[in-house]
Amino acid sequence: MKVAFGCDHGGINLKPVLLKYLQEKGIEYIDYGCFDTASTDYNEYALKVANAVKDGECDKGILFCGTGIGMSLVANKVKGIRCAHCHDVFSAKMTRLHNDANVMALGERVVGPGLMIEIVDAFLTTEFSNDARHIRRVEKIKAIEEENFK
Ligand code: RB5
């Protein structure tokens, strides 16, 4: 599995914690920035990560900003991206099982490093259920994209 990672200045303090976790787990990743604490726009990094997942360069994406909200709003504008904004382990697990989410957004101002790792771990290790009803619902999301996205 290859993970695309992106953050803005509001999420940069969690970044080393996440990258250490990925390294320890032997999970390959691409870091799309940002790379310092200077104020920057979350849009750029969310778009890079979302495109990396959409284009198949990476299998899943993880995004950090202050709240996770801006990142998730941008990522969900990219066709094929189902970005879940999660701050608890149950939701992270369920969004994989039920929604086949391929990107996750978290807020550094919402969760601490310990909980973040638990959430990310649930997201990366839970497979889509492949239940017919969940496949049907994800297909309906894709149908909306076909109608509304370029
Ligand atoms: C930056 O101050 C903050 O607005 C950003 O990180 C994010 O929380 C936006 O949704």
Side-chain angles (χ1 to χ4, degrees), residues 19-147:
L19 298 190
K20 182 167 177 276
Y21 159 86
L22 294 174
Q23 286 158 11
E24 284 173 359
K25 292 280 178 186
I27 299 170
E28 219 183 323
Y29 63 85
I30 299 176
D31 180 358
Y32 289 92
C34 67
F35 298 102
D36 59 47
T37 56
S39 181
T40 187
D41 298 340
Y42 53 80
N43 313 66
E44 179 185 334
Y45 312 99
L47 193 56
K48 284 180 181 168
V49 165
N51 280 331
V53 174
K54 181 196 79 175
D55 295 339
E57 193 176 345
C58 292
D59 305 295
K60 290 202 178 86
I62 297 174
L63 294 163
F64 297 159
C65 63
T67 60
I69 296 171
M71 289 290 194
S72 63
L73 292 176
V74 173
N76 279 314
K77 296 294 183 198
V78 174
K79 191 175 180 181
I81 297 304
R82 291 177 299 284
C83 176
H85 180 220
C86 291
H87 288 127
D88 67 274
V89 176
F90 178 76
S91 299
K93 190 173 174 187
M94 295 309 283
T95 198
R96 288 290 309 129
L97 282 170
H98 287 197
N99 315 122
D100 200 15
N102 48 13
V103 177
M104 155 163 292
L106 291 101
E108 176 182 304
R109 299 171 191 162
V110 185
V111 293
L115 180 54
M116 178 275 287
I117 290 297
E118 297 284 316
I119 292 167
V120 166
D121 189 68
F123 177 69
L124 294 181
T125 60
T126 306
E127 295 297 326
F128 180 48
S129 68
N130 268 308
D131 287 345
R133 68 187 189 284
H134 297 309
I135 293 173
R136 182 179 69 242
R137 292 161 190 164
V138 170
E139 289 304 317
K140 286 183 173 181
I141 294 173
K142 292 178 182 172
I144 294 169
E145 290 178 332
E146 287 303 324
E147 277 186 24

